[in-house]
């Protein structure tokens, strides 16, 4: 099962955060938002299909987030958890930790924003349109 989010990059995308990455519906980004990879997302966790959410709430679930922009792509894998809520109306956050809040869509991610392919990050910093595919197995 998968969910697809369409968003765009922004000139302030730096992808330097060491423990999270984020895609937001917000239409702005400040330089302090070093975990944010894309803005103006057309969907947030609260919009995801209930069956998809239920699959992600399995502690044995493997969740993969793939970003594609301007011919560049990268994927990060983490795990699901019964505590995942998928109720936030603004942002989807992947975490390398086990911290959960209403924005969290993945725990124990292989890497955070700083680990994404730099060519992809450059495309996002140039404002490229991005497709974010969240898959659960």
């Amino acid at each position: 099962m998968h969910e697809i989010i369409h968003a765009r990059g922004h000139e302030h995308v730096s992808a330097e955060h060491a423990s999270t990455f984020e895609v937001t519906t917000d239409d702005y980004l400040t330089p302090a938002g070093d975990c944010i990879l894309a803005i103006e997302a057309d969907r947030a966790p609260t919009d995801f299909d209930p069956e998809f959410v239920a699959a992600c709430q399995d502690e044995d679930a493997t969740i993969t987030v793939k970003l594609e922009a301007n011919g560049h792509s990268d994927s990060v894998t983490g795990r699901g958890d019964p505590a995942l809520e998928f109720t936030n109306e603004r942002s989807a956050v992947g975490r390398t930790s086990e911290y959960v809040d209403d924005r969290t869509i993945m725990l124990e991610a292989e890497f955070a924003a700083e680990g994404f392919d730099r060519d992809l990050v450059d495309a996002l910093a140039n404002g490229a349109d991005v497709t974010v595919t969240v898959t659960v197995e």
Side-chain angles (χ1 to χ4, degrees):
M1 278 189 274
H2 65 272
E3 293 283 345
I4 296 176
I5 301 168
H6 298 283
R8 72 172 181 85
H10 185 276
E11 65 181 309
H12 293 310
V13 170
S14 64
E16 294 176 347
H17 204 275
S19 62
T20 64
F21 65 89
E22 179 177 343
V23 175
T24 182
T25 61
D26 291 345
D27 62 358
Y28 63 92
L29 175 58
T30 69
D34 63 353
C35 70
I36 297 175
L37 300 174
I39 65 169
E40 293 185 11
D42 63 353
R43 305 178 72 223
T46 192
D47 300 315
F48 292 178
D49 185 278
E51 285 185 39
F52 180 86
V53 171
C56 291
Q57 290 170 330
D58 184 327
E59 63 188 27
D60 295 325
T62 298
I63 300 172
T64 302
V65 175
K66 181 178 184 179
L67 279 78
E68 300 171 275
N70 278 6
H72 303 285
S73 68
D74 202 359
S75 299
V76 59
T77 300
R79 70 171 180 84
D81 193 274
L84 296 177
E85 299 175 24
F86 288 84
T87 56
N88 195 277
E89 297 178 357
R90 287 179 53 201
S91 300
V93 177
R95 303 181 186 280
T96 59
S97 69
E98 294 186 12
Y99 176 79
V100 175
D101 67 11
D102 66 340
R103 304 176 310 153
T104 308
I105 63 165
M106 167 196 296
L107 301 178
E108 296 182 352
E110 300 169 294
F111 54 83
E114 69 178 8
F116 278 88
D117 177 82
R118 292 293 108 178
D119 290 332
L120 173 63
V121 172
D122 288 345
L124 295 172
N126 285 323
D129 290 334
V130 59
T131 300
V132 182
T133 305
V134 184
T135 306
V136 60
E137 297 175 346

